[in-house]
């Protein structure tokens, strides 16, 4: 097993840090020591996104243009009609003809439409589907019949005849070279392949080997489809460590550091299948300090997941997540020293755009995102900020779509949402504030307690003659308020309503709770 000394004067350009424990695995991608990507996976949770199932259509909902499919879970999976018959053209890649592609595309009759689905896929029909979005909140998984198997350099589409090159590869010479390689490859009949961005600069033999591995994997899946009952899982998307090697290990990555000897050996074997030369990049970490602490990852995670995130210029952004929308507010904060106000605003907004792109990846935020940049008068400045945001999300693996800044200064964008955000996976609602993020102030609680005391004293005064007593149990912080600032009000209340009040602190109560009891019987008064 390879080991090495971790003393260093400056951080590597890119490195992957893996913390593998019994309950969860965490992966951090660092660039010059700065956290750029963070992923977490619990070992007791089934990885759904990317997995393939043999399912059965339970019912069709024409109003929703969707089918609900039993894939073996409590909630049926959601299959939209356009995911049953995917579009014939995909804008994410440039289509390229391969050997035999003309023969595959000819014949077959007219292409079915969504109106044909009730006849082609009535309830009870067995379908092969792949999960594109895991269950979120009360919603079941989202699925598609457009199956794809990602490899190191290729994506195999077993049921798609189109092949092509990712549009994220922008260099014209490289696209021409990859186009020639793709045309020379023999893709099995009825299948298609897409060249991934990590294939830039790779020789033809790597694509040939990747295609052979993917075709072999699909043949195994096809055999399981025939032999397995319905519903059942016929392909489980690999775990976090495997996906990390597959998706993030490029020539730019200097090393992979992992703190578990078993996982280290597995990673070395995986890397060896891709490139024997890259096996030396895998290092075992065996120092006493926890690996995420040693590489300053824990501190960066803590800072990154705060509601308020500071920028280098002194400004800051505030991120609020709801179930369907994320609101991000940009503020100048301490960045007010410049004489040129417009330049200060532009600098803050550009840094905010860069940090927003980073935060979306770190937190795995998806859905509709609205960014309130600081108002800019210049259309050129607005375009600069939008371009910077688009540039920073270019290498995001999730699909994004960004609209120009609106007349009221808002940027609207969407980001593909495949599973719960990191916040939802790691945190749960606070039992005190019940997820509101705030609790009532001591002054508010004092008002509520006085209101309740008045109600009880009046009821008791109507039914009894003479003075009677109440004991109030409150949180210590509320008791401090009652004793210092509201004492005169409470004394006046006693005199007006002919009652005697006593207050006690109860640390077991949270700030928004209080109890009023009969001091003689100890009975709580409702």
């Amino acid at each position: 097993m390879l080991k090495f000394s971790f003393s260093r004067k400056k951080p590597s350009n890119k490195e992957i840090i893996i913390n593998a424990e019994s309950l969860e695995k965490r992966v951090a991608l660092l660039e010059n020591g700065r956290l750029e990507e963070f992923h977490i996976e619990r070992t007791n949770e089934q990885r759904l996104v990317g997995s393939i199932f043999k399912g059965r259509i339970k019912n069709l909902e024409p109003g929703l243009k969707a089918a609900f499919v039993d894939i073996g879970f409590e909630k049926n999976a959601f299959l939209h009609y356009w995911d049953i018959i995917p579009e014939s053209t995909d804008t994410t890649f440039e289509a390229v003809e391969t050997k035999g592609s003309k023969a595959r595309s000819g014949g077959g009759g007219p292409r079915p439409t969504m109106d044909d689905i009730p006849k082609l896929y009535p309830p009870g029909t067995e379908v092969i589907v792949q999960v594109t979005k895991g269950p979120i909140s009360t919603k079941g998984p989202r699925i598609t019949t457009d199956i794809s198997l990602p490899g190191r350099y290729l994506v195999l589409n077993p049921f798609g005849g189109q092949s092509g090159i990712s549009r994220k590869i922008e260099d014209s010479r490289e696209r021409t070279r990859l186009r020639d390689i793709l045309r020379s490859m023999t893709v099995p009949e009825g299948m298609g392949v897409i060249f991934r961005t990590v294939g830039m600069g790779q020789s033809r033999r790597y694509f040939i080997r990747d295609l052979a591995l993917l075709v072999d994997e699909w043949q195994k899946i096809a055999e399981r489809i025939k032999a397995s009952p319905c519903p059942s899982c016929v392909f489980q998307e690999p775990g976090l460590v495997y996906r990390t090697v597959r998706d993030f290990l490029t020539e730019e990555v200097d090393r992979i550091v992992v703190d578990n000897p078993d996982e280290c050996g597995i990673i070395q074997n995986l890397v060896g299948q891709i490139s024997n030369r890259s096996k030396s990049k895998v290092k075992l970490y065996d120092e006493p300090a926890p690996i995420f602490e040693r590489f300053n990852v824990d501190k960066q995670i803590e800072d990154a997941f705060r509601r308020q995130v500071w920028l280098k210029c002194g400004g800051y952004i505030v991120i609020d997540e709801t179930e369907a929308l994320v609101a991000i507010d940009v503020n100048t904060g301490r960045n007010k020293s410049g004489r040129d106000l417009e330049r200060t605003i532009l600098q803050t907004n550009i840094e905010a755009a860069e940090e927003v792109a980073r935060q979306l990846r770190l937190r795995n935020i998806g859905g509709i995102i609205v960014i309130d940049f600081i108002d800019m008068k210049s259309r050129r400045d607005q375009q600069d900020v939008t371009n910077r945001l688009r540039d920073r999300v270019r290498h995001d693996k999730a699909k994004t779509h960004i609209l120009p800044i609106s007349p009221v200064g808002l940027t609207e964008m969407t980001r593909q949402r495949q599973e719960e955000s990191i916040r939802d996976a790691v945190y749960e609602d606070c039992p005190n504030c019940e997820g509101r993020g705030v609790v009532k102030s001591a002054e508010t609680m004092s008002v509520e307690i006085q209101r309740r005391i008045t109600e009880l004293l009046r009821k008791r005064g109507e039914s009894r003659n003479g003075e009677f007593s109440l004991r109030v149990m409150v949180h210590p912080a509320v008791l401090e308020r009652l004793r210092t600032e509201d004492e005169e009000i409470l004394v006046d209340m006693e005199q007006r309503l002919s009652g005697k009040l006593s207050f006690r602190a109860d640390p077991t109560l949270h700030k928004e709770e209080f109890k009023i009891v009969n001091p003689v019987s100890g009975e709580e008064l409702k």
Side-chain angles (χ1 to χ4, degrees):
M1 196 71 66
L2 295 172
K3 301 181 182 181
F4 75 120
S5 172
F6 287 86
S7 60
R8 58 185 184 180
K9 294 183 179 180
K10 67 176 183 178
S12 301
N13 181 34
K14 273 191 179 183
E15 52 195 352
I16 297 171
I17 311 300
I18 300 176
N19 171 221
E21 297 174 333
S22 56
L23 285 180
E24 72 177 14
K25 293 180 175 63
R26 298 185 296 169
V27 172
L29 175 64
L30 305 182
E31 291 188 21
N32 295 321
R34 187 169 188 254
L35 182 65
E36 291 295 334
E37 301 235 8
F38 176 65
H39 301 274
I40 184 172
E41 184 175 85
R42 301 279 162 78
T43 53
N44 61 348
E45 294 177 352
Q46 184 179 7
R47 170 72 181 178
L48 278 183
V49 177
S51 296
I52 301 173
F53 289 83
K54 183 178 181 179
R56 177 175 286 109
I57 294 179
K58 299 297 289 184
N59 60 291
L60 300 173
E61 293 290 344
L64 296 175
K65 295 289 184 183
F68 288 89
V69 182
D70 179 13
I71 60 172
F73 289 88
E74 181 179 354
K75 285 188 174 294
N76 290 332
F78 181 88
L79 177 61
H80 199 281
Y81 281 5
W82 64 53
D83 288 320
I84 297 179
I85 305 176
E87 292 293 331
S88 57
T89 56
D90 189 335
T91 58
T92 61
F93 68 90
E94 173 200 354
V96 176
E97 286 188 1
T98 58
K99 292 181 179 180
S101 60
K102 290 183 178 179
R104 289 196 302 270
S105 61
R111 177 180 166 80
T113 67
M114 288 198 291
D115 293 334
D116 301 321
I117 286 177
K119 295 179 181 179
L120 296 175
Y121 298 91
T125 304
E126 291 187 2
V127 288
I128 307 302
V129 295
Q130 187 170 34
V131 178
T132 57
K133 182 191 294 186
I136 298 174
S137 186
T138 59
K139 298 177 181 178
R142 178 80 176 261
I143 56 178
T144 180
T145 60
D146 189 16
I147 310 297
S148 62
L149 280 182
R152 175 62 184 154
Y153 304 112
L154 302 174
V155 175
L156 177 69
N157 295 320
F159 301 137
Q162 275 196 327
S163 296
I165 300 170
S166 170
R167 293 193 184 277
K168 290 186 177 182
I169 301 176
E170 297 179 342
D171 184 85
S172 58
R173 289 187 178 181
E174 180 62 11
R175 293 187 68 84
T176 300
R177 187 185 74 88
L178 293 176
R179 204 178 291 123
D180 292 338
I181 293 175
L182 183 51
R183 284 174 177 149
S184 70
M185 293 174 60
T186 302
V187 180
E189 184 176 354
M191 297 186 182
V193 294
I194 310 300
F195 278 28
R196 303 181 66 185
T197 53
V198 292
M200 289 190 296
Q202 300 298 329
S203 62
R204 182 176 181 272
R205 61 189 177 94
Y206 288 110
F207 297 106
I208 296 295
R209 182 174 62 178
D210 213 24
L211 176 59
L213 291 172
L214 289 172
V215 170
D216 181 63
E217 181 67 45
W218 175 250
Q219 288 174 347
K220 295 176 182 177
I221 295 172
E223 291 173 1
R224 286 195 290 270
I225 291 173
K226 292 179 181 179
S228 301
C230 184
S232 60
C233 179
V234 294
F235 171 75
Q236 178 73 52
E237 174 72 353
L240 179 60
V241 172
Y242 180 93
R243 299 196 310 273
T244 297
V245 173
R246 181 189 70 193
D247 297 336
F248 292 104
L249 181 59
T250 64
E251 292 297 325
E252 297 175 346
V253 173
D254 295 316
R255 63 188 181 188
I256 300 176
V257 186
V258 58
D259 62 356
N260 184 297
D262 294 334
E263 293 291 344
C264 187
I266 293 172
I267 294 172
Q268 285 182 341
N269 291 333
L270 290 174
V271 173
Q273 295 176 15
I274 299 169
S275 170
N276 282 322
R277 184 180 59 183
S278 297
K279 287 181 69 174
S280 61
K281 293 183 177 182
V282 184
K283 313 292 183 182
L284 174 65
Y285 177 85
D286 61 354
E287 292 188 7
I291 187 170
F292 268 33
E293 180 182 321
R294 174 66 181 80
F295 287 87
N296 195 34
V297 177
D298 279 332
K299 178 65 167 59
Q300 293 191 68
I301 292 173
E302 182 181 343
D303 292 341
F305 283 86
R306 296 183 187 276
R307 179 172 178 263
Q308 180 174 303
V309 180
W310 286 96
L311 308 173
K312 290 181 180 179
C313 66
Y316 63 90
I317 62 175
V318 177
I319 304 175
D320 287 312
E321 291 185 53
T322 68
E323 185 171 346
L325 182 142
V326 177
I328 303 177
D329 186 35
V330 182
N331 297 276
T332 54
R334 297 188 292 261
N335 188 21
K336 295 172 181 161
S337 57
R339 294 182 180 180
D340 188 341
L341 179 59
E342 289 188 9
R343 186 174 182 83
T344 298
I345 291 174
L346 177 61
Q347 177 193 22
T348 305
N349 281 339
I350 284 180
E351 285 195 21
E354 295 175 348
E355 185 62 29
V356 164
R358 173 174 176 257
Q359 290 292 329
L360 296 181
R361 296 193 308 272
L362 286 180
R363 302 178 186 225
N364 194 26
I365 292 173
I368 300 172
I369 301 155
V370 178
I371 309 168
D372 184 10
F373 286 108
I374 305 168
D375 289 341
M376 295 171 286
K377 296 179 181 179
S378 168
R379 294 296 301 175
R380 177 178 292 182
D381 288 352
Q382 293 180 13
Q383 191 61 49
D384 286 346
V385 172
T386 302
N387 290 341
R388 185 63 62 94
L389 179 61
R390 285 175 175 157
D391 180 65
R392 287 297 184 266
V393 302
R394 192 182 303 276
H395 300 293
D396 195 334
K397 295 189 181 302
K399 296 178 182 178
T400 58
H401 178 64
I402 301 172
L403 297 176
I405 295 178
S406 72
V408 294
L410 300 178
T411 292
E412 299 169 74
M413 66 175 291
T414 59
R415 184 174 185 270
Q416 184 183 20
R417 190 178 188 184
Q418 293 185 329
E419 52 195 5
E420 289 184 320
S421 68
I422 296 292
R423 186 199 69 168
D424 292 335
V426 174
Y427 299 100
E428 62 182 21
D429 286 345
C430 168
N432 287 343
C433 71
E434 297 179 345
R436 297 193 308 269
V438 292
V439 294
K440 293 178 180 177
S441 66
E443 182 178 11
T444 299
M445 291 308 302
S446 175
V447 172
E448 291 189 5
I449 290 169
Q450 292 172 43
R451 189 178 295 131
R452 180 64 178 145
I453 290 173
T454 300
E455 179 186 354
L456 287 172
L457 288 177
R458 282 177 176 169
K459 286 181 179 178
R460 299 255 165 174
E462 292 173 356
S463 60
R464 296 183 183 182
N465 294 322
E467 187 178 277
F468 55 91
S469 301
L470 296 176
R471 178 178 297 160
V472 185
M473 313 298 294
V474 297
H475 185 275
V478 178
L479 180 62
E480 181 66 20
R481 163 82 194 195
L482 295 172
R483 283 178 172 173
T484 55
E485 300 186 47
D486 299 332
E487 184 177 9
E488 292 184 6
I489 297 175
L490 295 172
V491 171
D492 179 67
M493 185 183 297
E494 285 181 321
Q495 294 173 351
R496 284 189 297 103
L497 300 173
S498 300
K500 183 174 178 58
L501 304 174
S502 62
F503 296 87
R504 298 286 188 275
D506 185 350
T508 63
L509 297 174
H510 72 66
K511 201 173 180 180
E512 294 185 359
E513 286 184 324
F514 64 89
K515 295 179 182 178
I516 301 178
V517 300
N518 185 321
V520 178
S521 65
E523 174 191 3
E524 183 176 355
L525 303 177
K526 300 293 186 180

